[in-house]
Amino acid sequence: MGKNSKLLYCMLGSAILALLNNPTLSYAKLGMFRGGYGNSRFGVLLVLITNIFSLAGFILLILFSIILIIKNINFKEK
């Protein structure tokens, strides 16, 4: 487990980034602005940035999962 702990921490961070588009956080972003985030440029920019971070989180989560699976396959047992 020791050799995989850094990958597991990376996967946890990626999962947190991927959850940025959770509906609860979307409502929180919407509630930060008086008329919704469609009326202000900062609100639209905030939503765009969180969408980009969420996409990066999903990509990193997939990548780290594949790396973790490959590292734990034991080819010597076959």
Side-chain angles (χ1 to χ4, degrees):
M1 179 75 174
K3 67 179 181 177
N4 296 324
S5 62
K6 288 184 180 179
L7 276 174
L8 290 174
Y9 284 127
C10 290
M11 286 177 65
L12 178 66
S14 300
I16 290 172
L17 281 177
L19 290 175
L20 281 175
N21 277 341
N22 191 356
T24 305
L25 292 177
S26 295
Y27 293 135
K29 288 185 286 187
L30 183 63
M32 286 178 15
F33 303 100
R34 189 174 289 248
Y37 49 74
N39 294 335
S40 74
R41 290 183 184 174
F42 178 71
V44 173
L45 184 64
L46 177 72
V47 171
L48 179 68
I49 289 172
T50 55
N51 288 340
I52 291 171
F53 282 156
S54 180
L55 175 66
F58 277 113
I59 292 171
L60 288 174
L61 186 63
I62 292 168
L63 180 71
F64 290 136
S65 298
I66 291 171
I67 291 172
L68 187 66
I69 290 169
I70 290 172
K71 280 185 132 184
N72 287 316
I73 291 177
N74 199 355
F75 292 111
K76 295 179 183 178
E77 289 182 5
K78 291 183 177 179

